[in-house]
Amino acid sequence: MERWELTAPCHFGLEAVLKREINDLGYEISHVEDGRVSFLGDARAVADGNIFLRTTERILLNVGSFRALSFEELYEETKKLEWENFIPKDGKFWVAKASSIRSKLFSSSDIQSIVKKAIVDRLKQVYGISWFEENGAAYPIRVSILKDRVTMGLDTTGVSLHKRGYRKRTVKAPLSETLAAALVLLTPWKNGRILVDPFCGGGTIPIEAAMIARNQAPGRQRCFQAQDWKNLIPRECWQDAREEADDLLDKSASADIQGYDLDPEAINFARENAKLAGVDSMIHFQQRPVSQMSHGKKYGFIISNPPYGERLSEQSHLYGLYQEIGQAYARLDSWSMYLLTSYEQAEKAIGKDADKNRKVYNGMIKAYFYQYFGPKPPKQGER
């Protein structure tokens, strides 16, 4: 099978988590940059990336990369790429998205139209035709320009990978599934340890944790754009990857995972979503304020995304809320706490500096993942 370079975009600040996931799948990393990890693989790697990776938004098949300082250069260099190796004569293709950061070419609409024209002119010449019916499989193209370096990729995913298919009901400003999974993977939490999210909303963090505990591949029950690319990805690649996902699924797994929220509607949504994800038996959802958070066992984990207070009207209530978080955490013996928030006075209100924090971008919002480390539980046989 032909070997390609594939690129997996992710939230800024979570590249190391995604890199570890790709390494665990057995693929070689080619390079890492802000918000994306590239790796080498064949057609099976496309299927594996889409089905198994928890923290990326999509898998792009890289067609080529070059430097361009003008639209003329963009056209000529795009036309030089061997698009016929990827897009068949009847393929439907368009530039689905163009992004530009710190580059001379910055107009997304102009970039999209010029790239499309260059590809059309190339394929007209190669296939000896003057008109494309475009009645075959769809090949959406994504263009990224960073510091004048242009990267062209075919989108093998289609609908973003954060849409696992279980979140039919949601609350306002929900945490994405990919970010929720990354937050869990950034902690030492393992199945067998308690996990509580006191601001669970629609239940995304508890559900993603339960899926990790079950070794449940996030993409095992959904479809992808490249499934129609018979010229590039043999059908057996998808079949084999799904069979492996089914074999790895631990249906007997159990866990002590809890989600609280003040909003009764959010709790109802969370229960529905957990059921659709197939993990409802592993999570206990309850309407409860953070001030009433308690647990009789040691060595548990709080992993949560508390309110940020993006509106000015909410700011006055935040300090007291984070004080309640700190007071509840102080009552939990030997627990660890991990909070993603952009609230700048979080540590002061909690009453304790975090042992570590990590900058993470939730969309365009700069936030910090505050990490409070509890002691490790004694090994079996130790007092």
Side-chain angles (χ1 to χ4, degrees):
M1 265 189 212
E2 188 174 354
R3 202 169 185 227
W4 299 307
E5 183 177 58
L6 306 171
T7 293
C10 65
H11 287 269
F12 284 90
L14 299 178
E15 297 83 4
V17 184
L18 177 54
K19 180 182 175 183
R20 187 170 72 234
E21 278 200 281
I22 294 169
N23 280 329
D24 288 345
L25 284 178
Y27 294 107
E28 178 187 347
I29 304 294
S30 54
H31 66 274
V32 179
E33 55 189 346
D34 289 347
R36 57 183 53 222
V37 180
S38 296
F39 60 104
L40 304 176
D42 55 13
R44 175 60 192 270
V46 173
D48 284 346
N50 279 295
I51 290 172
F52 289 101
L53 293 179
R54 301 182 189 277
T55 61
T56 184
E57 296 297 322
R58 62 188 67 252
I59 303 296
L60 303 174
L61 195 169
N62 292 348
V63 176
S65 183
F66 53 84
R67 182 177 170 82
L69 299 175
S70 67
F71 287 120
E72 183 179 356
E73 282 185 307
L74 178 65
Y75 173 85
E76 293 297 338
E77 294 299 324
T78 300
K79 191 177 176 183
K80 287 179 185 177
L81 298 178
E82 297 177 338
W83 293 98
E84 64 275 11
N85 292 341
F86 303 94
I87 302 174
K89 188 183 293 188
D90 66 345
K92 178 182 179 180
F93 59 95
W94 71 100
V95 182
K97 185 176 181 181
S99 63
S100 177
I101 300 174
R102 300 196 293 276
S103 301
K104 289 197 174 181
L105 303 180
F106 57 85
S107 170
S108 296
S109 58
D110 288 337
I111 293 167
Q112 287 173 292
S113 62
I114 288 169
V115 168
K116 169 78 176 188
K117 184 178 187 309
I119 299 171
V120 167
D121 289 348
R122 166 84 187 197
L123 294 182
K124 277 183 179 178
Q125 183 179 348
V126 172
Y127 291 134
I129 56 177
S130 59
W131 177 258
F132 291 92
E133 292 188 8
E134 296 191 285
N135 56 3
Y139 296 79
I141 298 157
R142 289 189 169 234
V143 182
S144 172
I145 308 180
L146 176 62
K147 296 179 181 178
D148 300 318
R149 187 77 188 172
V150 183
T151 303
M152 304 275 183
L154 293 174
D155 179 8
T156 74
T157 301
V159 176
S160 173
L161 290 176
H162 82 270
K163 295 191 176 181
R164 321 284 205 215
Y166 66 75
R167 197 162 71 177
K168 302 298 184 184
R169 308 286 295 276
T170 189
V171 296
K172 183 181 176 183
L175 194 68
S176 78
E177 292 89 329
T178 49
L179 181 51
L183 298 184
V184 176
L185 293 173
L186 276 170
T187 77
W189 178 81
K190 302 291 182 187
N191 193 16
R193 305 280 291 276
I194 305 152
L195 189 157
V196 175
D197 179 359
F199 302 94
C200 71
T204 312
I205 290 177
I207 291 170
E208 289 295 323
M211 290 173 65
I212 291 169
R214 278 183 105 207
N215 206 16
Q216 180 172 324
R220 63 185 284 269
Q221 292 185 310
R222 54 159 288 180
C223 298
F224 307 98
Q225 187 74 59
Q227 286 179 231
D228 294 329
W229 299 358
K230 305 299 191 296
N231 61 317
L232 296 175
I233 318 290
R235 184 175 297 175
E236 56 265 28
C237 289
W238 299 102
Q239 293 173 340
D240 292 347
R242 291 187 194 282
E243 286 176 9
E244 183 178 349
D246 289 340
D247 291 341
L248 291 172
L249 178 64
D250 183 2
K251 293 182 179 179
S252 64
S254 60
D256 189 350
I257 301 173
Q258 301 175 27
Y260 308 147
D261 204 281
L262 265 179
D263 184 354
E265 186 176 52
I267 293 298
N268 288 334
F269 289 172
R271 288 174 179 150
E272 290 179 31
N273 293 337
K275 188 172 184 178
L276 286 170
V279 296
D280 50 312
S281 64
M282 302 176 69
I283 311 171
H284 174 67
F285 290 109
Q286 184 178 357
Q287 184 185 355
R288 182 191 290 192
V290 67
S291 60
Q292 295 180 16
M293 183 172 62
S294 62
H295 205 291
K297 294 183 180 179
K298 294 184 175 184
Y299 309 114
F301 283 75
I302 298 168
I303 305 177
S304 194
N305 174 222
Y308 293 179
E310 291 302 308
R311 296 179 180 176
L312 290 175
S313 60
E314 298 169 342
Q315 289 284 333
S316 59
H317 303 291
L318 278 185
Y319 196 87
L321 177 64
Y322 280 79
Q323 281 183 315
E324 290 181 357
I325 294 172
Q327 291 161 5
Y329 177 55
R331 294 193 300 267
L332 293 167
D333 187 16
S334 305
W335 278 49
S336 300
M337 181 166 70
Y338 297 81
L339 303 177
L340 178 71
T341 178
S342 65
Y343 182 50
E344 295 181 356
Q345 298 191 66
E347 289 173 297
K348 183 179 177 182
I350 288 169
K352 184 180 180 182
D353 288 341
D355 296 296
K356 186 178 180 181
N357 67 55
R358 184 189 197 102
K359 188 188 297 181
V360 176
Y361 280 83
N362 184 5
M364 298 303 294
I365 301 172
K366 182 175 72 174
Y368 287 93
F369 194 42
Y370 293 102
Q371 303 166 58
Y372 294 85
F373 303 144
K376 294 181 180 180
K379 294 181 181 178
Q380 191 171 5
E382 294 180 358
R383 285 191 173 183

